[in-house]
Amino acid sequence: AALAEHYAADGITLYLTGRNVERLKEVEQICVQKGATVHAQTLDVTSKSDMFDFGADITNENPLDLVIANAGISGGTGSDPDGEPMHQAREIFDINLTGVLNTVEAVLPSMLKAKKGQIALMSSLAGFSGWPGAPAYSASKGAVRLYGEALKGSVKDKGLKVSVICPGFIQTPMTSVNPYKMPFMIDATQAARIIATGLKKNKTRIAFPWPTYAFSGFFGLLPGWLGLLVLSKFPSKPKQ
């Protein structure tokens, strides 16, 4: 939402999707008030056919300058001694990973044909190591990060830009349910500015804030047994 509002301006056309009709309408109205032309549609990113139809409608009208694959949900073990429920893990992977792939696949052919544009994939600093308190979330975000960075390398000579966004804690409805302290948290408006600046510079990885990035990267470099020993002491994400 903050990214949509950041980019909204006269002469800008935005294609926005979401799963919550009322929240999507609110964002649409704000962006229109800022002068943007907005096409908003409620979609399920796990539906490949719906995403392909939406992507086809867009690319038939205008070439895309920027696509942000952002849909994602969060969930963890909630300190359950039995670990994360499998149905929750599958839902997280379906949205966080399959949803991203559906978004990219729906627009990639037309963007490659045009030899222009940029794709941004929303990962997370949690994707640098396996978090015992949020197995599917950290794994899905890790998969998005690696896929995005590899995709950038595979299309670098085809006129297409790719960036992976790895935020830490941001003030959103997703983090508002966490019952533990979240260090170096920033608001969504500030995060949108950081992301937009990184995209303008065509950064491969837009990771922030730097203290959390350094912390996450450090744990990703530790031997597996040591990293898990420490990370297992951290609080668990609530269940969905």
Side-chain angles (χ1 to χ4, degrees), residues 3-240:
L3 280 166
E5 294 169 21
H6 176 89
Y7 284 111
D10 290 333
I12 298 296
T13 300
L14 298 173
Y15 295 88
L16 307 179
T17 69
R19 52 186 173 151
N20 185 301
V21 177
E22 293 181 359
R23 287 181 60 199
L24 183 60
K25 191 67 177 179
E26 290 174 3
V27 177
E28 178 184 4
Q29 291 173 347
I30 292 172
C31 293
V32 168
Q33 290 171 0
K34 296 182 72 173
T37 299
V38 181
H39 303 271
Q41 184 173 334
T42 52
L43 282 178
D44 179 359
V45 293
T46 66
S47 172
K48 182 176 179 178
S49 60
D50 287 351
M51 292 303 296
F52 270 59
D53 289 344
F54 185 66
D57 290 342
I58 296 172
T59 53
N60 286 337
E61 294 179 9
N62 297 296
L64 289 163
D65 299 303
L66 173 64
V67 175
I68 302 175
N70 180 59
I73 61 173
S74 174
T77 63
S79 300
D80 191 325
D82 295 328
E84 182 173 39
M86 188 53 65
H87 69 84
Q88 174 180 286
R90 288 185 179 276
E91 184 179 11
I92 290 173
F93 270 98
D94 282 345
I95 295 174
N96 293 10
L97 181 56
T98 304
V100 165
L101 295 176
N102 287 342
T103 304
V104 172
E105 191 177 359
V107 298
L108 187 59
S110 63
M111 297 180 79
L112 287 173
K113 184 177 180 180
K115 296 183 178 180
K116 59 178 292 187
Q118 184 174 23
I119 295 176
L121 294 81
M122 189 65 70
S123 179
S124 168
L125 291 181
F128 283 85
S129 54
W131 289 70
Y137 181 77
S138 59
S140 66
K141 291 300 186 179
V144 169
R145 178 177 67 84
L146 291 172
Y147 170 72
E149 293 175 359
L151 178 64
K152 184 183 183 79
S154 69
V155 301
K156 64 182 179 64
D157 297 325
K158 300 177 182 179
L160 190 60
K161 302 174 183 176
V162 180
S163 295
V164 178
I165 306 164
C166 301
F169 295 114
I170 301 175
Q171 291 175 347
T172 67
M174 182 181 287
T175 56
S176 66
V177 300
N178 291 340
Y180 46 79
K181 184 177 180 180
M182 291 165 280
F184 305 107
M185 177 178 278
I186 62 176
D187 64 52
T189 301
Q190 182 183 0
R193 289 196 298 266
I194 294 171
I195 293 168
T197 299
L199 292 176
K200 188 175 182 179
K201 295 179 180 179
N202 190 28
K203 286 188 173 182
T204 299
R205 184 187 298 167
I206 305 168
F208 63 96
W210 72 263
T212 318
Y213 180 26
F215 177 85
S216 300
F218 171 73
F219 276 100
L221 294 173
L222 290 176
W225 68 269
L226 181 57
L228 288 175
L229 179 65
V230 178
L231 290 172
S232 63
K233 306 296 183 182
F234 284 45
S236 301
K237 278 183 175 289
K239 291 184 179 179
Q240 288 180 28

